[in-house]
């Protein structure tokens, strides 16, 4: 059966009978987990298994496990990581190796509980005006640094059996408001956007999956990238990201309109999948009804993305932990 053109969350730490039936009927392409869904490793393994069982196939399960503030799994069962920018500063010339180690360890933790997609790396270039909610999640203030560290991050995930999701396409670094609450608008010339903001995504366009930014660039279009056909065509044709693209959370307050209107506009613009994170049953039903099944081009991109999944390479976890600790300086 064809999967739906959406990714859903669930409400709690186990599936209700209603959720199980709804997922079986609506067939989302995958699921995303948050802190509300997590207590301990045994519980999380049961939940990921039950989510897949509801669909009857090895569906992708996503999470935002960047480290730092955006870390859904944490102590006492999982490691606490520095914010990415703090780790980059602490490791200096060894930042590339440290970024690989960090994300290879994260991948090991995720794979062990049945999670096989992580919503990272972030290719957003930090600017002086970057909003604090984003700033220390990022990797650097120049294109070369950002691309190098994104590559290290993505490779760490892939080697650990986890697929990376490149975000936030086509660039979120100049946002001066929190997109969870307001819509960022960046009114600067296109030539500067091409040289800085969009450039990392062009160099990383081979990564299997990407996530949109809820942001407006008036020099290109007056709609947010997520719902703009003009922006999505630019992302596909000029940035060259032709792989699977999901929206950022469609329920974020940066977007206007109803959940149905946002979902329809995103697919009409050219996004492949609508990401709905809140786990609200009534709204998930609206998303499923509005979006329907995947179109053939989305199916092809989704299948191609999942072909990148592989078994983790063998590593000595303790040795990686020790090496990363030494590079950070024992922090």
């Amino acid at each position: 059966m064809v999967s739906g053109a959406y990714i859903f969350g669930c409400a709690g730490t186990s599936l209700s009978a209603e959720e199980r039936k709804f997922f079986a009927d609506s067939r989302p392409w995958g699921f995303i987990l948050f802190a509300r869904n997590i207590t301990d490793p045994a519980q999380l393994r049961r939940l990921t298994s039950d989510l897949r069982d509801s669909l009857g196939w090895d569906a992708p399960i996503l999470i935002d496990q960047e480290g730092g503030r955006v870390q859904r799994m944490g102590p006492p069962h999982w490691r606490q990581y520095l914010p990415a920018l703090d780790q980059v500063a602490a490791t200096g010339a060894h930042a590339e190796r440290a970024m690989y180690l960090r994300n290879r360890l994260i991948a090991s933790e995720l794979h062990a509980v049945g999670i096989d997609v992580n919503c990272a790396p972030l290719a957003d270039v930090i600017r002086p005006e970057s909003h604090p909610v984003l700033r220390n999640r990022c990797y650097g203030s120049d294109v070369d640094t950002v691309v190098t560290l994104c590559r290290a991050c993505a490779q760490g995930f892939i080697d650990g059996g986890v697929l990376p999701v490149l975000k936030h396409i086509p660039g979120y670094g100049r946002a001066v408001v929190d997109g969870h609450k307001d819509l960022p608008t960046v009114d600067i010339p296109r030539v500067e956007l091409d040289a800085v903001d969009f450039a990392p995504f062009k160099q990383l366009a081979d990564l299997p999956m990407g996530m949109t930014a809820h942001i407006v660039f008036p020099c290109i279009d007056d709609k947010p990238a997520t719902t703009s056909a003009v922006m999505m065509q630019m992302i596909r044709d000029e940035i060259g990201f032709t792989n699977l693209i999901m929206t950022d959370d469609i329920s974020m307050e940066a977007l206007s309109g109803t959940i149905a209107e946002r979902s329809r506009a995103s697919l009409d613009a050219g996004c492949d999948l609508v990401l709905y994170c809140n786990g609200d049953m009534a709204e998930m039903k609206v998303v499923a009804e509005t979006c329907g099944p995947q179109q053939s081009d989305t199916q092809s991109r989704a299948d191609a993305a999942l072909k990148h999944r592989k078994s983790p390479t063998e590593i000595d976890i303790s040795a990686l932990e020790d090496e990363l600790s030494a590079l950070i300086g024992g922090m």
Side-chain angles (χ1 to χ4, degrees), residues 21-324:
K21 183 180 187 305
F22 171 68
F23 293 147
D25 292 341
S26 63
R27 300 191 63 78
W29 182 71
F31 301 97
I32 187 163
L33 300 180
F34 285 82
R36 68 176 184 267
N37 307 123
I38 297 167
T39 57
D40 60 72
Q43 168 270 325
L44 191 47
R45 282 190 293 269
R46 287 192 299 271
L47 179 58
T48 56
S49 177
D50 288 347
L51 287 167
R52 291 189 170 104
D53 285 348
S54 74
L55 300 182
W57 71 288
D58 188 19
I61 297 181
L62 295 73
I63 198 168
D64 288 290
Q65 188 74 354
E66 299 173 10
R69 185 177 56 79
V70 180
Q71 183 170 332
R72 315 306 184 193
M73 297 158 52
H77 301 292
W78 298 280
R79 300 172 188 87
Q80 181 67 48
Y81 298 90
L82 290 171
L85 191 62
D86 293 353
Q87 180 179 299
V88 171
T91 54
H94 304 288
E96 181 178 1
R97 176 62 178 170
M99 185 63 79
Y100 174 85
L101 294 170
R102 166 202 186 92
N103 291 293
R104 181 62 183 84
L105 290 169
I106 289 175
S108 178
E109 294 178 320
L110 299 182
H111 193 269
V113 293
I115 298 170
D116 58 0
V117 182
N118 196 10
C119 296
L122 280 68
D124 306 307
V125 180
I126 301 168
R127 307 298 297 174
E129 65 269 26
S130 297
H131 191 277
V133 78
L134 176 71
R135 186 175 181 83
N136 70 356
R137 297 167 57 195
C138 298
Y139 307 159
S141 58
D142 66 273
V143 172
D144 289 345
T145 296
V146 169
V147 171
T148 296
L149 298 183
C150 280
R151 285 280 177 207
C153 173
Q155 195 61 53
F157 292 150
I158 291 169
D159 288 350
V162 172
L163 293 180
V165 177
L166 180 66
K167 60 188 189 186
H168 304 82
I169 297 174
Y172 199 67
R174 295 182 193 268
V176 297
V177 298
D178 181 359
H180 295 88
K181 301 176 181 179
D182 299 290
L183 177 62
T185 298
V186 175
D187 194 4
I188 65 169
R190 172 67 188 272
V191 64
E192 189 171 351
L193 293 172
D194 285 337
V196 179
D197 304 71
F198 301 165
F201 295 94
K202 191 169 187 176
Q203 295 186 48
L204 296 162
D206 58 300
L207 293 184
M209 288 185 277
M211 177 185 290
T212 64
H214 299 331
I215 191 169
V216 173
F217 298 103
C219 66
I220 302 173
D221 195 18
D222 61 0
K223 296 178 181 178
T226 300
T227 58
S228 166
V230 175
M231 289 294 298
M232 288 303 302
Q233 184 175 8
M234 185 272 292
I235 289 167
R236 295 295 196 191
D237 296 343
E238 298 178 44
I239 290 178
F241 196 94
T242 59
N243 294 327
L244 189 70
I245 295 182
M246 67 188 71
T247 70
D248 203 344
D249 183 9
I250 205 70
S251 64
M252 288 169 62
E253 294 179 32
L255 300 179
S256 61
T258 66
I259 290 295
E261 291 168 342
R262 300 174 188 188
S263 299
R264 186 70 261 161
S266 299
L267 295 185
D268 288 346
C271 293
D272 293 307
L273 300 171
V274 168
L275 177 65
Y276 177 81
C277 296
N278 285 353
D280 179 276
M281 180 61 70
E283 291 193 333
M284 288 192 292
K285 288 179 178 178
V286 170
V287 172
E289 181 178 351
T290 300
C291 296
Q294 296 175 14
Q295 300 301 306
S296 59
D297 53 349
T298 291
Q299 290 179 54
S300 297
R301 284 191 281 264
D303 290 345
L306 293 185
K307 287 180 180 178
H308 289 267
R309 290 193 295 194
K310 66 177 186 177
S311 298
T313 57
E314 293 188 11
I315 57 164
D316 182 336
I317 291 291
S318 295
L320 264 61
E321 289 178 319
D322 290 345
E323 183 181 357
L324 179 59

